[in-house]
Amino acid sequence: MSAIWVYAPVISEGPHAAALELLTKARTLGDQVAAVALGPGASAAAEELGSHGASTVYAGDDAVYVEHPGRPAADALATLVDRHHPALILFPTTYDARDVAGRLQARTGSTLMSNATDLPARDRARTEIFGGAKVVDVELGGPEPRLVLVRPHSFPAEPAGGSAEVVPIDVDLADDRRGARIVERHEEAAAGPKLEEAPVVIAGGRGLGGPEAFGILDDLASAIGGAAVGASRAAVDAGWVPYSFQIGQTGKTVKPEVYLAVGISGALQHVVGMKGARRIVAINKDAEAPILKMADLGVVGDLFQIVPQLAEEIRRRRSAG
Amino acid sequence: MDVVVFTKFVPDPQGTPTLGPDHLLVRGADGALDPGDEYGLELALQLVEAEGGHVTAVSMGPEEALAGLQRALAMGADDGVLITDASLRGADALGTARVLAAALAGRTWDLAIAGVESTDGYTGTVPATIAELVDAAGISAVRRLERAEAGIRVERQVEAGFDVLECPLPAVITVTAGANEPRYPSLKGIMQAKQKPLERLGIEDLGLSADDVAPTQAVVEVTDAPSTAGGEVIVAGDDAVARIADLLAEAKVI
Ligand SMILES: Cc1cc2nc3c(=O)[nH]c(=O)nc-3n(C[C@H](O)[C@H](O)[C@H](O)COP(=O)(O)OP(=O)(O)OC[C@H]3O[C@@H](n4cnc5c(N)ncnc54)[C@H](O)[C@@H]3O)c2cc1C
Ligand SMILES: Nc1ncnc2c1ncn2[C@@H]1O[C@H](COP(=O)(O)O)[C@@H](O)[C@H]1O
């Protein structure tokens, strides 16, 4: 049986976390699993990729992969595919990986499935639609390799203790085919824990009415301690908080112990990013808001009263020990 | 600058989506121009207003999709192209990209603009596939664009914040929601739209055959997700705050 590959973008912290999740899944689908690691540090990432299930790591350490998003990576993959003929390539869902997969599809003429949440078999991918209300199984046909973009946190990342053979990639891409070039990077770092890792996520929506109200969410987060603040797309599009706050289909997927939705209606595209939370609390003044129906505890009321009172109550309990 | 904007006609974005017996999304007449494509259209209109040129809206879809193109024309696009063909029903991302790329290949263009992802299909990959098929550069998730010596200079939304990129033309870009405030069609715009050229093409006009657009994936099963036992809804009052705090304590996060 031909191999299953995982596309592993390499960032400054190492291989993208979702690539480790995909390797963990890939090794249940076949015994020939390889990773294609692209970006400075790719060879060094091979150890972690190997321990998560890759027996081969095709490593491209060239900075071209991070300086020029999309095109060089797709080119490298297309060359590797020509040489080694994998059956299936799994991609983590990021903007960059979507571009890489999309471009690769043009080269291979093979099928490409987005938003997968599971792979029941090598030629079958599962996705959830309508905010998770329906589960859809899709048969992947056409020529190999089949390409599947998988949503983050669809699988746990578990090391299996193996190690990988590193195969350096020698793809030479002409200057005029490198495409767009990054000339500046701007970080809009949020204070506090990372959204994807925080045990408590407090998300604010259009109901907050403006950027100032995010201050009361920050205050609640500090009362709780270890809570991260996120947002719906409506709040991001309005410019109240940066895109890095966005939770949902086009934003982050979070699975905290507790998710607190504040002034968020619960649109399908928001729900896909947070329905995996262990407990959901919603505060909304509209008793008909869909988010209340999916919450473990829904409170119908005004967030501007409830949130500050909640912060106060938590501090009171703390000091009472 | 000649700009092509890909605009999709989608089922009513405010409505509740449903699947037909063939597992395809039910597409009624009450659809609309994808709101996610209006940001790109607005960006194109502003660009051409500033420096001259031409905006063409291109849509692949059923006959009803004309209504979406009419809106694009009413907003200010100069002309529209509808690609409609019986063989396109149920087309997947590859088929769609081949059709839209072929529509590009047959004209002169500097910039092609799409949405980051469509409201109904949300694969988010069609624009990159188009770019590669026409051998062009591309940038996704653009939130600001200006002309530069190299071609264009853009701000791209990324996980950590934003990047600034320079890109040669021709290029295929996607524009994020929130990039701008799309205009409403004016009454004058709506009247003028009726006079604007609207071309209709089948796939053979684009040099494609039914094989080129045959889907490579098929839905084999649709099931209802196990319904999560709904929780409790209470009205804010004396103990609502205490109840939330209790839940946090139970979850051992406070
Ligand atoms: C292709 C696509 C992708 C998308 N991706 C995402 C995504 O990644 N993430 C995302 O979030 N959305 C996404 N959306 C948008 C989504 O459809 C919704 O438009 C968005 O989630 C709505 O945000 P909201 O709930 O904050 O705003 P609204 O729907 O306007 O809800 C605001 C809520 O606040 C409540 N409220 C108002 N005032 C108060 C008050 N004082 N106290 C308490 N409650 C109050 C209201 O009752 C209402 O329920 C996407 C849409 C599309 C088409
Ligand atoms: N049938 C179509 N007609 C016109 N444009 C489309 C079509 N399908 C996709 N697009 C464009 O590609 C973008 C991304 O779509 P998708 O890959 O389906 O998420 C959309 O926002 C549109 O700009």
Side-chain angles (χ1 to χ4, degrees):
Chain A
M1 260 203 298
S2 40
I4 300 175
W5 287 8
V6 169
Y7 173 62
V10 178
I11 48 181
S12 53
E13 297 100 83
H16 198 287
L20 304 180
E21 299 166 13
L22 297 184
L23 284 168
T24 307
K25 179 64 190 184
R27 61 182 204 244
T28 69
L29 292 171
D31 2 300
Q32 272 196 65
V33 175
V36 180
L38 300 179
S43 301
E47 194 180 324
E48 208 175 351
L49 295 167
S51 74
H52 282 79
S55 45
T56 306
V57 173
Y58 300 102
D61 287 273
D62 203 308
V64 69
Y65 301 113
V66 293
E67 282 163 13
H68 298 265
R71 234 179 160 188
D75 221 77
L77 271 168
T79 307
L80 289 171
V81 165
D82 266 352
R83 274 185 210 153
H84 305 286
H85 311 289
L88 173 70
I89 309 182
L90 306 181
F91 296 80
T93 301
T94 65
Y95 279 144
D96 280 346
R98 287 209 298 203
D99 293 348
V100 173
R103 282 186 181 269
L104 181 61
Q105 177 182 44
R107 303 278 288 268
T108 58
S110 47
T111 205
L112 167 54
M113 159 106 180
S114 293
N115 294 300
T117 53
D118 198 2
L119 285 123
R122 293 161 68 100
D123 59 356
R124 204 165 273 214
R126 179 166 291 167
T127 184
E128 295 171 7
I129 58 168
F130 305 162
K134 292 209 181 284
V135 179
V136 176
D137 277 357
V138 174
E139 194 173 55
L140 307 170
E144 294 183 343
R146 280 86 191 229
L147 314 176
V148 181
L149 281 149
V150 185
R151 289 195 57 89
H153 294 311
S154 293
F155 317 108
E158 284 157 3
S163 68
E165 179 202 356
V166 181
V167 179
I169 299 177
D170 51 352
V171 178
D172 194 18
L173 187 63
D175 269 1
D176 63 344
R177 289 192 36 85
R178 293 179 172 199
R181 183 172 65 93
I182 297 176
V183 293
E184 288 168 28
R185 290 178 198 274
H186 298 263
E187 296 217 354
E188 295 168 331
K194 284 178 102 171
L195 261 184
E196 299 97 316
E197 290 160 14
V200 181
V201 170
I202 307 168
R206 201 192 316 263
L208 267 68
E212 309 76 28
F214 272 85
I216 65 173
L217 301 192
D218 289 336
D219 183 58
L220 177 59
S222 73
I224 293 172
V229 174
S232 71
R233 191 173 98 177
V236 172
D237 286 353
W240 301 344
V241 286
Y243 168 68
S244 55
F245 280 54
Q246 185 169 316
I247 293 164
Q249 182 178 302
T250 9
K252 299 198 159 110
T253 303
V254 298
K255 287 196 168 171
E257 289 294 314
V258 182
Y259 188 85
L260 245 123
V262 183
I264 289 179
S265 62
L268 301 177
Q269 296 91 349
H270 183 77
V271 166
V272 296
M274 46 65 78
K275 68 181 170 51
R278 192 178 288 262
R279 293 179 173 83
I280 297 167
V281 179
I283 302 170
N284 197 301
K285 70 175 183 191
D286 173 10
E288 298 303 312
I291 191 84
L292 292 172
K293 296 189 181 66
M294 64 173 301
D296 298 283
L297 180 61
V299 179
V300 182
D302 181 8
L303 71 93
F304 292 98
Q305 289 181 354
I306 298 169
V307 175
Q309 284 172 10
L310 179 60
E312 198 180 312
E313 170 72 8
I314 292 166
R315 290 196 169 103
R316 193 187 59 74
R317 291 189 185 195
R318 263 260 147 82
S319 58
Chain B
M1 157 118 104
D2 291 333
V3 187
V4 171
V5 184
F6 295 116
T7 57
K8 192 177 184 186
F9 186 74
V10 298
D12 179 11
Q14 254 68 53
T16 307
T18 49
L19 291 182
D22 54 1
H23 296 328
L24 294 178
L25 208 55
V26 174
R27 296 174 185 276
D30 59 343
L33 178 69
D34 193 333
D37 289 341
E38 291 194 1
Y39 305 96
L41 179 55
E42 178 63 39
L43 193 142
L45 293 173
Q46 288 181 16
L47 206 59
V48 165
E49 276 159 11
E51 64 171 77
H54 201 86
V55 176
T56 303
V58 174
S59 192
M60 171 190 124
E63 203 57 37
E64 289 80 28
L66 267 182
L69 284 173
Q70 288 292 355
R71 183 175 170 93
L73 295 177
M75 283 174 70
D78 298 292
D79 62 351
V81 180
L82 175 66
I83 303 144
T84 189
D85 201 296
S87 60
L88 292 174
R89 195 180 136 73
D92 60 16
L94 181 58
T96 305
R98 282 182 173 151
V99 166
L100 297 178
L104 266 188
R107 47 196 336 118
T108 55
W109 58 285
D110 304 296
L111 185 63
I113 303 184
V116 170
E117 53 187 6
S118 60
T119 297
D120 58 341
Y122 55 93
T123 70
T125 56
V126 165
T129 309
I130 296 173
E132 187 71 17
L133 286 170
V134 300
D135 198 17
I139 308 175
S140 55
V142 167
R143 62 175 208 188
R144 250 181 73 96
L145 179 147
E146 61 191 32
R147 291 305 302 269
E149 212 171 308
I152 51 173
R153 185 179 168 92
V154 310
E155 279 180 22
R156 177 185 192 227
Q157 193 168 277
V158 297
E159 247 169 83
F162 68 96
D163 290 346
V164 177
L165 294 99
E166 285 181 353
C167 185
L169 295 177
V172 181
I173 65 167
T174 69
V175 174
T176 58
N180 51 38
E181 195 64 60
R183 67 195 66 185
Y184 282 102
S186 64
L187 201 57
K188 190 165 150 236
I190 295 170
M191 297 311 293
Q192 283 174 342
K194 301 198 169 100
Q195 315 302 326
K196 290 180 176 171
L198 237 172
E199 194 180 3
R200 252 176 242 233
L201 301 173
I203 60 167
E204 274 157 30
D205 301 315
L206 295 169
L208 295 171
S209 70
D211 280 349
D212 295 321
V213 298
T216 52
Q217 47 185 252
V219 172
V220 286
E221 203 176 335
V222 179
T223 47
D224 289 323
S227 65
T228 42
E232 195 187 345
V233 178
I234 59 176
V235 175
D238 300 339
D239 69 342
V241 165
R243 289 286 307 279
I244 302 176
D246 290 348
L247 182 142
L248 293 169
E250 232 175 81
K252 301 194 167 58
V253 295
I254 55 170

